[in-house]
Amino acid sequence: MKDLDEREERRSALKGLGCSRKRVEDVRFTQGKGHYVDDISMPGMLHGDFVRSPYAHARVVSIDASKALALPGVVAVLTAKDLEPLSLHWMPTLAGDKQMVLADGKVLFQGQEVAFVVAKDRYIAADAVELVEVEYEELPVLVDPFEALQSDVVLREDIKDAKEGAHGPRKHHNHIFTWEEGNAEATEQAIGAAEVVAEEMIYYHRTHPCPLEPCGTVASMDKVNGKLTIWGTFQAPHVVRTVASLLSGIEEHNIRVVSPDIGGGFGNKVGVYPGYVCAIVASIVTGVPVKWIEDRMENLMATAFARDYWMKGRIAATKEGKITALDVHVTADHGAFDACADPTKFPAGFFHIVTGSYDIPVAHVAVDGVYTNKAPGGVAYRCSFRVTEAAYCIERMIEVLAIELGMDAAELRRINFIKKEQFPYQSALGWEYDSGDYHTAWDKALKAVDYEGLRKEQAERVEAFKRGETRKLLGIGLTHFTEIVGAGPVKNCDILGMGMFDSCEIRIHPTGSAIARLGTISQGQGHATTFAQILASEIGLSADSITIEEGDTDTAPYGLGTYGSRSTPVAGAATAMAGRKIRAKAQMIAAYLLEVHDDDLEWDVDRFVVKGAPERFKTMKDIAYAAYNQAIPGLEPGLEAVSYYDPPNMTYPFGAYICVMEVDVDTGEWEVRQFYALDDCGTRINPMVIEGQVHGGVTEALAIAMGQEIAYDEMGNCKTGTLMDFYLPTAWETPNYTTDFTETPSPHHPIGAKGVGESPNVGGVPAFSNAVHDAFRAFGLRQSHMPHDHWRIWKIAQSLGLHQ
Amino acid sequence: MIPANFEYYRPDSVAAALGILQEHGDEARVIAGGHSLIPMMKLRMAEVPHLIDLQAIAALRGISIEGGTVRIGAMTTQNELITHDDLLQAAPILREAALQIADPQVRYMGTVGGNVANGDPGNDMPGLFQALDASFELHGPEGIRSVPARDFYEAAYMTAREDDEILTAITFARTSGGYAYEKQKRKIGDYATAAAAVLLTKEGGKVATAAIAMTNLSDTPVFCADAAGALVGTECTTDALAAADAAMQAVIDPMQDNRGPAEFKRHVAGVILKRAILRAWSRA
Ligand SMILES: Cc1cc2nc3c(=O)[nH]c(=O)nc-3n(C[C@H](O)[C@H](O)[C@H](O)COP(=O)(O)OP(=O)(O)OC[C@H]3O[C@@H](n4cnc5c(N)ncnc54)[C@H](O)[C@@H]3O)c2cc1C
């Protein structure tokens, strides 16, 4: 007993796996001491600002910068003509397309970058922007992707006649690609033969990650030593370095990319934006640092949006509710350029996770990407690539099928879940789900909210409503989602040819503390806290004695960055693997010190102990010191390790979310009465960080489902370019959440962890949306598109005749 | 979001402020809390080469209640309306309304004078002061004049105030009876989808007097005399509410925006007006 207590004490002193350790980052963030790109100031630094297009589609007839150049303090005004000799007026996108850096003859979306003003200070730059005179000739605007596919209007004249795009044949001049997965023929057959088929168009509207800190960069070309340093809001600094080298011709060792503290990314900071390119060019030309920081409106209007998927689903089932087939066709609005940030081979990301948590024997998906006069993007906003779209699609289709069958939607899910014993499970669309236990999670969730009781209350409410005693309805929003994160096996996942591995390099210092550097970059996820915990448990040094460093390409090992919940599955695995290398060498050192054979030692929390002689041991601290202070025959001095981890598979976190909502049929106002979130992210590294991630993610899901959108009028004007209209909930609108968990470790991850940061967005959106739909189910509602803001909810009630 | 260049002035008297206003004509504007003007300047929708800050003019601050009259200095912050105990006694509707304006950060800076002088149909105070039948005191080169709130608003951002006048105070009579300020918005910090200010008094179990004004449902606040008239002499029955709603609908003219189409706003206006009337009635 005493031994056990003593060991537990040593274990908890490490603050390793499972410890709700406070986030070490928060000390500086809560005191306003974070250091962001805009905090960087350098002697002689110049400031850039953009002239942007007021039109969604127009020819640029002329640009006259003479008045701007005459303003004292203006250094330069760059246009496409200036960038053309460097071949930088266009740049490649992550999706195999190319994008104008500055308007080359025409503009394709409102807010597009037309000219880049460089001036001595930010104020002069803004004044000069007003003085640049641009003559436009308006062209017909296409904001509807279905219309774009029919229209004679050519958006992308540069590739007008290209029959092939980056992802195969193009059907029309505004068509980007068709991408397919699954068995179309077998799916068609199964649907044709089915007893019941539910069909519905599910629209997941265009929204935006809207991180607290917008995008920006400081580029500094040192003409003396030939080194280019780029600080920026980069979720993937190493990839930015490679791209910068390829574009500029500067050798990669002469480029240093640094991501300082980042104020949220959510996918918005994965891509490369014209502002980065212009600042770099301006610094190369002038030889002084150039800063570019966008403002909120520019962020919302011009940097990467998310979603905008029109998903036509058909789901087939037996009369008893056993699903027999799923077919989904997506019309994907990519805006003016295809600037999605997906692994190269997956132009629709991992959308083919759309069979969700269900054992569906045959399925087929096809996605058509389309150009329109809207901002480019299509990033994974707090989700793995297109996984929220997929989860929303299947979780809505399940509800629609339940209506078609007259069945309870919870029961319909239960009878179709993949069973525990079916894992690893091969999905009809080609994925191998690593592990799961959906029934257990589902039952736990339903019990926690008293599902039966809620349904009874709901039925009573409907009766009371019909009797005229209340004007509020009750909705119960169910979701069981399956995520796919941790891209990804290098054999099928790359970005611009870079395999999607990640990395960790560890140095143990002589006194038994350590630094670990990773190829990822935290934007609020708390890597400095949790990766130290992984390592603490692996190498037996306290997490408090381990520094985690990321984001500087001169010091950190190459990695693909942080998005798609890949940091823990990939870099977290690399951390554990590098830790194990440290431990292997430590074992040899300990064996030498204790004068026993390596195999006679066993690992015990923070030390190696001679088997059968517990009083003979060497702690990791002893070993670290020995590694540096004495010659050990056959061993190099020092204690360091590096691991590049190529995951054998993705991980598949899952969860059960239930939202109980009251809606006012007269005003469209809603109130979340209860929100229950059960997450299974495999091994739980830090329960408190997980809870924080779930709170943040569900809040973003609430925003998306209930109000947030990037909307355009028919002229292509962005109607939601400020936070007055782009819905960002405050503490007031944010409900209380109940979090819960089950723990089904990933069998292939070194510590069994799966990633969690994005699950709450993936599961949250359908939970909120289903609650709205469910409130009106008794009155005949099948489908109503998000966001469910007041007037759209009111519209549902009105169209169902509830206002008489 | 960077404003154009401007000169900044901080006079310590109304006379000095008026002097600067006159000197620079329509190149000059006063700034109070800045929470409407600064965003406009940053968006470069308002260019103000000469900006006259009223913060240092002590005479424009403070709330006084003498006899039956309440006087609120133009530079009184929206937050002060919430925390002033005597005002809560004299006209409790002000506190109820102020709590629904923006968020605490805005209310610490935003002033009552700025809110009513601004002329934005989204502002909550103009309708409120119309319901209260308040008067706005204006200082100009020709002296002081007083304009009833009900006559002040001409169109969006167009008011009876001349460019060279400063709004110095708002006065109105102490209220009695029931009151309610009801506002629907998308979130904290949002302007109204529709808002209703209702004041009424009760005698012999029936409505004796009533005043109603609606916000953000036209290009000016909408004082609804007929809607109020429809309540007088009634017990706020369903029929009376319907009549008030119908009268109100006849004078509002909502426009479609991101909050929704006009049809929706009309419906919401009706719902919240009825809610406001019933709450005011329950307090009368
Ligand atoms: C996020 C946000 C949300 C908001 N939500 C609401 C809301 O829900 N409801 C609401 O009513 N308001 C809202 N507001 C506006 C806020 O109440 C402003 O404070 C108010 O409209 C203007 O008051 P101010 O003191 O800030 O005036 P300023 O912005 O300084 O001035 C506004 C205008 O009035 C003129 N002006 C100011 N004072 C005087 C004076 N004494 N004499 C003559 N002219 C004068 C100025 O020249 C300017 O044209 C919101 C503002 C923000 C930023």
Side-chain angles (χ1 to χ4, degrees):
Chain A
M1 226 12 233
K2 195 167 159 280
D3 275 7
L4 266 181
D5 287 351
E6 185 267 342
R7 176 173 294 143
E8 260 330 296
E9 235 166 68
R10 282 192 282 125
R11 197 189 306 281
S12 63
L14 294 180
K15 302 189 184 170
L17 291 184
C19 170
S20 281
R21 181 179 184 229
K22 282 191 181 164
R23 298 195 345 150
V24 296
E25 297 91 337
D26 290 349
V27 178
R28 67 176 191 280
F29 291 148
T30 54
Q31 295 185 19
K33 296 277 164 57
H35 191 72
Y36 300 91
V37 177
D38 205 14
D39 292 322
I40 296 170
S41 183
M42 300 176 78
M45 188 170 77
L46 300 174
H47 296 259
D49 195 2
F50 278 112
V51 176
R52 293 179 180 275
S53 170
Y55 299 109
H57 194 196
R59 215 165 285 295
V60 177
V61 179
S62 66
I63 302 176
D64 180 356
S66 53
K67 284 193 189 131
L69 286 166
L71 187 72
V74 174
V75 175
V77 178
L78 300 179
T79 64
K81 281 210 177 66
D82 303 304
L83 299 182
E84 195 171 351
L86 308 165
S87 291
L88 284 176
H89 54 320
W90 288 73
M91 63 178 181
T93 70
L94 297 180
D97 195 1
K98 54 184 184 145
Q99 174 176 352
M100 287 182 219
V101 173
L102 291 171
D104 183 21
K106 71 189 282 197
V107 286
L108 287 160
F109 66 95
Q110 188 186 50
Q112 187 179 330
E113 300 80 1
V114 174
F116 189 68
V117 173
V118 185
K120 291 225 157 86
D121 71 42
R122 184 70 188 80
Y123 291 84
I124 297 172
D127 288 343
V129 163
E130 301 278 298
L131 295 175
V132 176
E133 290 169 355
V134 186
E135 194 189 327
Y136 298 95
E137 183 188 305
E138 284 182 74
L139 295 168
V141 171
L142 296 173
V143 286
D144 175 65
F146 298 98
E147 191 193 330
L149 282 180
Q150 306 294 324
S151 173
D152 293 338
V153 176
V154 179
L155 300 184
R156 290 289 299 276
E157 282 160 27
D158 57 305
I159 50 167
K160 184 172 62 164
D161 302 318
K163 298 270 174 281
E164 282 281 319
H167 308 286
R170 299 170 68 216
K171 295 188 239 181
H172 180 267
H173 51 249
N174 296 328
H175 180 250
I176 311 173
F177 63 83
T178 301
W179 176 83
E180 270 187 279
E181 190 61 72
N183 189 332
E185 206 177 310
T187 306
E188 230 24 83
Q189 254 171 28
I191 291 174
E195 291 171 350
V196 180
V197 179
E199 190 172 332
E200 199 56 67
M201 175 65 94
I202 313 283
Y203 179 46
Y204 197 145
H205 60 292
R206 178 176 279 238
T207 180
H208 194 282
C210 192
L212 217 53
E213 173 207 32
C215 300
T217 190
V218 174
S220 176
M221 182 74 207
D222 183 331
K223 291 207 168 175
V224 176
N225 66 15
K227 278 231 170 206
L228 171 65
T229 307
I230 310 165
W231 292 266
T233 45
F234 307 134
Q235 288 181 242
H238 301 271
V239 180
V240 169
R241 186 185 69 191
T242 303
V243 174
S245 174
L246 292 173
L247 288 183
S248 67
I250 299 172
E251 280 196 89
E252 206 166 348
H253 73 282
N254 275 332
I255 301 178
R256 176 179 168 216
V257 175
V258 185
S259 297
D261 280 334
I262 295 183
F266 312 114
N268 187 235
K269 293 169 180 169
V270 175
V272 171
Y273 293 120
Y276 305 158
V277 177
C278 288
I280 292 169
V281 171
S283 180
I284 292 175
V285 172
T286 59
V288 289
V290 176
K291 180 189 267 191
W292 167 74
I293 305 285
E294 66 181 2
D295 65 29
R296 174 64 57 201
M297 292 180 72
E298 294 179 294
N299 180 256
L300 284 172
M301 289 173 66
T303 60
F305 75 94
R307 329 295 193 226
D308 216 345
Y309 257 34
W310 292 90
M311 305 176 285
K312 181 78 187 254
R314 285 182 301 153
I315 191 163
T318 65
K319 285 203 293 277
E320 293 73 38
K322 189 81 192 84
I323 300 170
T324 54
L326 175 73
D327 179 80
V328 182
H329 179 268
V330 181
T331 303
D333 186 339
H334 285 235
F337 308 97
D338 188 6
C340 283
D342 293 316
T344 307
K345 286 182 201 134
F346 298 99
F350 303 155
F351 184 76
H352 45 316
I353 192 74
V354 69
T355 52
S357 308
Y358 311 102
D359 183 15
I360 303 180
V362 287
H364 170 249
V365 293
V367 180
D368 280 301
V370 185
Y371 290 122
T372 59
N373 289 119
K374 300 182 190 168
V379 293
Y381 168 10
R382 203 167 184 148
C383 72
S384 194
F385 315 100
R386 301 292 187 184
V387 174
T388 27
E389 288 91 326
Y392 186 64
C393 181
I394 185 66
E395 288 303 299
R396 282 298 311 136
M397 287 310 295
I398 289 279
E399 295 281 319
V400 172
L401 180 61
I403 292 168
E404 195 80 36
L405 290 163
M407 249 180 103
D408 176 76
E411 185 55 22
L412 179 60
R413 284 180 173 85
R414 187 201 314 275
I415 62 177
N416 285 290
F417 281 144
I418 300 161
K419 294 188 194 68
K420 191 177 168 186
E421 55 277 12
Q422 286 175 281
F423 291 92
Y425 171 81
Q426 298 291 333
S427 85
L429 293 173
W431 299 113
E432 183 184 302
Y433 292 27
D434 60 347
S435 64
D437 181 356
Y438 300 163
H439 286 94
T440 301
W442 196 236
D443 290 342
K444 190 173 181 184
L446 296 182
K447 194 157 166 249
V449 301
D450 181 21
Y451 181 67
E452 299 288 313
L454 282 173
R455 284 288 177 215
K456 228 176 109 220
E457 184 189 345
Q458 183 185 42
E460 282 160 10
R461 182 72 70 88
V462 168
E463 290 314 310
F465 180 86
K466 287 178 178 162
R467 289 194 301 268
E469 291 163 14
T470 178
R471 297 297 289 164
K472 283 189 182 170
L473 296 172
L474 187 68
I476 304 163
L478 303 176
T479 289
H480 191 288
F481 65 92
T482 295
E483 256 261 71
I484 170 170
V485 304
V490 170
K491 64 177 188 293
N492 52 25
C493 286
D494 71 270
I495 283 190
L496 292 179
M498 298 296 137
M500 294 182 74
F501 58 83
D502 230 288
S503 58
C504 175
E505 183 191 278
I506 304 169
R507 287 187 202 165
I508 311 291
H509 306 317
T511 52
S513 66
I515 182 164
R517 296 190 168 103
L518 291 87
T520 44
I521 175 71
S522 186
Q523 310 123 41
Q525 292 88 342
H527 291 176
T529 308
T530 51
F531 288 150
Q533 289 181 252
I534 295 178
L535 208 48
S537 289
E538 291 292 340
I539 64 174
L541 295 176
S542 165
D544 290 342
S545 304
I546 301 169
T547 296
I548 300 289
E549 209 181 83
E550 306 171 299
D552 184 338
T553 59
D554 264 9
T555 54
Y558 204 99
L560 269 278
T562 295
Y563 39 88
S565 277
R566 62 185 299 281
S567 298
T568 296
V570 192
T575 306
M577 298 309 266
R580 285 171 197 182
K581 290 185 189 174
I582 296 276
R583 211 161 84 186
K585 184 170 177 186
Q587 185 164 3
M588 291 189 249
I589 298 172
Y592 170 79
L593 297 174
L594 291 162
E595 297 176 4
V596 295
H597 189 270
D598 293 2
D599 293 345
D600 293 333
L601 292 175
E602 60 187 2
W603 177 249
D604 177 26
V605 182
D606 58 353
R607 61 192 55 181
F608 280 103
V609 180
V610 177
K611 286 179 188 163
E615 70 291 350
R616 296 193 60 211
F617 62 83
K618 287 289 169 192
T619 66
M620 201 63 187
K621 262 184 174 296
D622 303 333
I623 296 166
Y625 194 61
Y628 291 92
N629 86 338
Q630 56 184 288
I632 299 171
L635 279 183
E636 288 178 7
L639 195 50
E640 299 189 4
V642 55
S643 168
Y644 280 73
Y645 188 79
D646 175 12
N649 188 5
M650 315 268 184
T651 63
Y652 296 76
F654 61 93
Y657 286 8
I658 299 174
C659 170
V660 183
M661 190 188 283
E662 305 257 357
V663 301
D664 182 325
V665 298
D666 290 322
T667 60
E669 290 169 302
W670 46 269
E671 193 190 333
V672 175
R673 197 173 84 181
Q674 184 181 4
F675 196 98
Y676 170 89
L678 179 150
D679 273 281
D680 191 321
C681 56
T683 303
R684 289 155 54 83
I685 299 166
N686 181 326
M688 189 168 66
V689 167
I690 293 173
E691 195 179 4
Q693 290 287 314
V694 172
H695 283 196
V698 179
T699 305
E700 279 180 325
L702 170 95
I704 294 168
M706 305 310 292
Q708 196 170 82
E709 66 175 322
I710 294 291
Y712 293 87
D713 67 13
E714 63 284 359
M715 303 291 293
N717 296 309
C718 178
K719 298 195 290 177
T720 49
T722 77
L723 294 187
M724 189 56 84
D725 286 311
F726 184 82
Y727 182 72
L728 217 54
T730 68
W732 189 267
E733 288 79 28
T734 304
N736 279 318
Y737 306 121
T738 309
T739 57
D740 203 347
F741 66 99
T742 56
E743 196 161 349
T744 314
S746 168
H748 63 77
H749 186 278
I751 61 164
K754 287 185 170 185
V756 74
E758 306 177 325
S759 293
N761 202 322
V762 172
V765 172
F768 289 112
S769 181
N770 283 346
V772 174
H773 284 91
D774 185 66
F776 293 100
R777 177 173 169 176
F779 301 92
L781 178 67
R782 250 172 91 104
Q783 173 62 22
S784 179
H785 299 319
M786 294 190 291
H788 305 297
D789 52 7
H790 293 167
W791 89 262
R792 287 181 175 97
I793 291 181
W794 173 86
K795 184 91 192 141
I796 296 172
Q798 194 211 31
S799 63
L800 296 174
L802 303 183
H803 287 154
Q804 268 77 53
Chain B
M1 295 299 272
I2 305 271
N5 270 324
F6 55 84
E7 281 302 320
Y8 176 80
Y9 306 82
R10 200 179 170 92
D12 57 10
S13 70
V14 173
L18 283 173
I20 307 167
L21 258 185
Q22 266 191 304
E23 185 185 340
H24 297 286
D26 46 355
E27 296 242 296
R29 249 214 242 186
V30 299
I31 182 165
H35 271 61
S36 288
L37 186 54
I38 290 176
M40 300 289 272
M41 289 171 66
K42 286 185 161 188
L43 291 166
R44 296 193 177 222
M45 287 159 89
E47 198 145 331
V48 187
H50 299 274
L51 192 65
I52 309 164
D53 191 342
L54 303 180
Q55 295 287 350
I57 307 176
L60 292 178
R61 294 190 177 274
I63 300 169
S64 66
I65 302 162
E66 272 164 38
T69 305
V70 181
R71 185 173 198 280
I72 301 176
M75 290 300 286
T76 305
T77 66
Q78 294 151 18
N79 184 60
E80 286 168 283
L81 298 184
I82 296 169
T83 53
H84 199 281
D85 291 339
D86 293 343
L87 185 65
L88 182 61
Q89 299 306 317
I93 193 170
L94 282 177
R95 181 171 197 268
E96 181 159 306
L99 277 169
Q100 298 181 65
I101 293 179
D103 53 46
Q105 278 178 307
V106 173
R107 299 195 296 253
Y108 290 140
M109 287 303 292
T111 67
V112 183
N115 198 298
V116 299
N118 194 27
D120 182 334
N123 280 131
D124 287 288
M125 293 276 153
L128 183 68
F129 286 123
Q130 289 193 337
L132 285 163
D133 199 13
S135 288
F136 300 155
E137 190 180 283
L138 301 170
H139 274 227
E142 262 93 78
I144 304 177
R145 65 183 181 123
S146 178
V147 179
R150 293 176 188 175
D151 297 338
F152 190 72
Y153 297 95
E154 294 163 354
Y157 301 103
M158 306 276 280
T159 67
R161 187 181 64 85
E162 299 296 335
D163 283 348
D164 55 3
E165 285 180 313
I166 292 176
L167 195 151
T168 47
I170 297 143
T171 54
F172 56 91
R174 180 186 267 276
T175 66
S176 60
Y179 66 91
Y181 195 78
E182 181 84 23
K183 174 177 175 181
Q184 179 166 340
K185 55 190 171 184
R186 294 170 298 182
K187 62 173 266 196
I188 288 295
D190 190 19
Y191 292 92
T193 300
V198 175
L199 289 161
L200 43 85
T201 56
K202 187 173 178 178
E203 250 167 55
K206 295 202 165 34
V207 176
T209 63
I212 293 173
M214 306 297 290
T215 289
N216 221 9
L217 292 160
S218 185
D219 66 345
T220 61
V222 186
F223 179 65
C224 305
D226 292 348
L231 297 178
V232 174
T234 76
E235 292 168 24
C236 293
T237 55
T238 312
D239 285 349
L241 294 180
D245 181 11
M248 177 273 291
Q249 296 288 348
V251 285
I252 62 170
D253 183 18
M255 301 260 288
Q256 164 151 5
D257 62 16
N258 285 333
R259 293 178 185 84
E263 188 194 12
F264 162 68
K265 292 186 176 182
R266 281 189 178 276
H267 190 112
V268 170
V271 174
I272 64 154
L273 174 60
K274 289 176 196 165
R275 285 182 188 171
I277 293 170
L278 288 176
R279 194 159 76 237
W281 180 239
S282 73
R283 287 164 166 170

